[in-house]
Amino acid sequence: MEMPVREIKSDIYSVGAIDWDRKLFDELIPLPEGTSYNSYIVKGSQKTALIDTVDPAKEKELIANLEELKIDKIDYIIANHAEQDHSGSIPKILELYPDAKVVTNIKCQKMLMDLLFINDDKFIVINDGETLPLGNKTLQFIFAPWVHWPETMFTYLKEDKILFTCDFLGSHFASDKLFVEDEVAVYFAAKRYYAEIMMPFRTTIRKNIEKISELEVDIIAPSHGQVYKNPEFIINAYRDWISDEVKNEVVIPYISMHGSTAKMVKYFENALKDRGIKVKSFSLTETDIGELAVALVDSATVVIGSPTVLTGSHPAVVYAAYLANALKPKTKFVSVIGSYGWGGMMVEQLKGMLGNLKVELLEPVVVKGYPKKEDFEALSRLADEILKKHETIISKGV
Ligand code: FEO
């Protein structure tokens, strides 16, 4: 289903494409709600700018939208980010609008030349804070590196107080509605997006949020998902996610081959619940890995459950541990529970894989064969320890 052009404000249009059917991003991230590649036209009294483009697979939809709007001249293509889901249609737009210049920062220019073979005479390179007049409208560029690539930047439309943030503050959320209406649904989609893409950059996000706070912003228009007419909604959500505050929760990603680890996980879940701790368990053979990423955003503790395969952890657990380490959640405590048949180095292996996390390792409970009375007692002690640790760092009522 193609989407029509949609007006944001006078002379400002959404001309991107909605990808209802895409199920996987980067061949890694599940997209339960599809996604969109938002592109925007800003028509000034003298110049017209296109802000970002779309994934090349949706190039025809962008072109059809520009035709529908009767855009016969594009002066500037603003590239906020070089990743191909936003930049990939720039070569085609340059072909159709040969007088257009690509306006971006020096890092993004070099990336676009490498990724898309765009000649350097096609660029206008701008600096942080620089403005670009379009006549009665003015664009300002705000460098925001590392959300989530080194070249990322925002574009601010001063007169209309619209901030175009590209990936930042976005969501993989396909909808025929331009603006956010259902904040609950978008909250979860945006949290998933944050977890999968932005979480490793939590500290740089803080700086970028502060930059945004200095601007008067009425509308935030990201390049994935819906447009925010209530910017505080998404900014406050981000402030919460990037804060150092964690919740009284334990995330348990686990695998069980013959039932021993599953038995331990079940017992441990109940032990935690009895102590007033919220539990989120994920059977890794069934779970959507994005759900696990979301759970990692603000949980205080992760307890990995695994059987031993040969001498190490189950490969599906290794994958989850690798991902958790890469996503750098603000988790404070980690432990391992599980079983082995004849030996292994599972705890050492998993510990070695979590080097990015600033966590304290709590006494693991790894048992031989099926868990016995003393093993359940050890799990109870681990639950006690987690409660004690949580009480030291989590304010009452959380
Ligand atoms: Fe949506 Fe980093 O590209």
Side-chain angles (χ1 to χ4, degrees):
M1 178 166 58
E2 289 187 11
M3 286 309 301
V5 171
R6 293 170 295 173
E7 185 181 64
I8 297 180
K9 284 178 83 173
S10 177
D11 290 328
I12 306 159
Y13 302 90
S14 172
V15 291
I18 299 184
D19 203 338
W20 301 92
D21 302 321
R22 190 159 179 183
K23 296 287 177 249
L24 206 57
F25 202 86
D26 289 347
E27 301 303 313
L28 172 69
I29 298 167
L31 300 177
E33 313 276 359
T35 192
S36 67
Y37 319 105
N38 304 343
S39 174
Y40 301 98
I41 276 283
V42 179
K43 286 168 77 171
S45 53
Q46 292 169 11
K47 305 280 186 186
T48 296
L50 178 70
I51 300 181
D52 294 314
T53 67
V54 300
D55 191 280
K58 293 286 177 183
E59 192 174 86
K60 285 187 179 139
E61 289 186 34
L62 170 63
I63 292 164
N65 287 343
L66 294 174
E67 281 170 3
E68 187 185 321
L69 258 185
K70 301 189 178 12
I71 301 293
D72 50 18
K73 187 165 169 282
I74 290 175
D75 300 283
Y76 307 118
I77 303 165
I78 314 299
N80 282 320
H81 178 27
E83 195 166 8
Q84 292 92 327
D85 53 321
H86 310 291
S87 69
S89 298
I90 292 176
K92 188 69 188 174
I93 297 297
L94 285 172
E95 206 180 297
L96 296 173
Y97 299 89
D99 295 331
K101 295 283 184 193
V102 180
V103 179
T104 193
N105 60 74
I106 186 81
K107 283 184 191 162
C108 191
Q109 180 202 24
K110 291 192 183 327
M111 285 180 158
L112 292 174
M113 289 167 72
D114 285 339
L115 294 169
L116 301 169
F117 306 129
I118 300 172
N119 286 338
D120 64 354
D121 64 353
K122 285 288 182 188
F123 288 92
I124 295 173
V125 174
I126 46 82
N127 293 309
D128 190 16
E130 199 170 322
T131 56
L132 181 71
L134 305 178
N136 61 343
K137 294 186 188 296
T138 314
L139 300 178
Q140 184 172 26
F141 306 104
I142 297 156
F143 288 12
W146 293 111
V147 288
H148 60 131
W149 278 16
E151 87 300 359
T152 44
M153 67 177 202
F154 309 146
T155 298
Y156 180 53
L157 176 50
K158 291 175 101 163
E159 290 78 4
D160 296 279
K161 302 187 176 75
I162 302 176
L163 187 65
F164 300 92
T165 53
C166 201
D167 277 342
F168 191 55
L169 308 175
S171 63
H172 286 310
F173 190 78
S175 171
D176 55 359
K177 305 276 194 306
L178 176 64
F179 293 106
V180 173
E181 291 177 8
D182 181 349
E183 286 191 347
V184 174
V186 173
Y187 179 89
F188 285 108
K191 189 172 185 180
R192 176 188 265 266
Y193 186 91
Y194 166 82
E196 292 164 335
I197 295 158
M198 297 292 165
M199 188 156 65
F201 308 101
R202 199 163 62 91
T203 48
T204 50
I205 287 174
R206 285 184 186 159
K207 292 180 200 135
N208 291 322
I209 288 266
E210 290 322 308
K211 275 194 163 185
I212 290 178
S213 303
E214 291 162 13
L215 303 170
E216 261 189 87
V217 178
D218 286 346
I219 291 174
I220 289 178
S223 291
H224 295 292
Q226 291 176 297
V227 174
Y228 304 94
K229 264 189 177 166
N230 173 16
E232 287 304 304
F233 155 66
I234 191 65
I235 288 177
N236 287 340
Y238 262 68
R239 281 192 199 284
D240 179 30
W241 300 332
I242 63 173
S243 77
D244 287 329
E245 295 287 313
V246 286
K247 293 196 166 64
N248 185 22
E249 290 178 3
V250 175
V251 172
I252 310 177
Y254 75 96
I255 288 279
S256 188
M257 286 158 63
H258 300 293
S260 300
T261 303
K263 183 82 178 171
M264 294 176 75
V265 166
K266 191 49 69 187
Y267 179 89
F268 190 56
E269 282 174 2
N270 288 328
L272 292 167
K273 283 178 198 160
D274 288 347
R275 287 160 179 77
I277 300 167
K278 194 170 176 183
V279 182
K280 292 178 177 169
S281 292
F282 297 90
S283 170
L284 293 171
T285 42
E286 295 155 38
T287 195
D288 164 347
I289 205 81
E291 295 287 327
L292 171 62
V294 174
L296 292 173
V297 168
D298 37 27
S299 293
T301 298
V302 175
V303 175
I304 300 169
S306 180
T308 306
V309 175
L310 299 173
T311 57
S313 181
H314 189 284
V317 176
V318 170
Y319 175 75
Y322 177 87
L323 192 67
N325 187 56
L327 294 178
K328 296 189 195 168
K330 56 188 172 187
T331 309
K332 309 288 185 204
F333 309 103
V334 165
S335 192
V336 179
I337 65 175
S339 69
Y340 62 93
W342 41 263
M345 301 286 286
M346 184 167 76
V347 172
E348 291 74 9
Q349 178 199 30
L350 291 172
K351 198 175 151 190
M353 290 185 66
L354 299 174
N356 280 347
L357 309 188
K358 296 187 178 87
V359 290
E360 179 182 344
L361 180 70
L362 305 181
E363 186 63 32
V365 182
V366 180
V367 310
K368 187 164 177 22
Y370 204 69
K372 300 155 200 73
K373 183 169 172 287
E374 61 271 25
D375 302 321
F376 293 119
E377 287 168 1
L379 288 171
S380 293
R381 283 197 298 279
L382 177 58
D384 283 338
E385 181 68 5
I386 289 172
L387 177 64
K388 210 162 44 173
K389 293 289 183 188
H390 283 199
E391 283 173 345
T392 62
I393 60 158
I394 298 170
S395 53
K396 281 195 168 62
V398 176

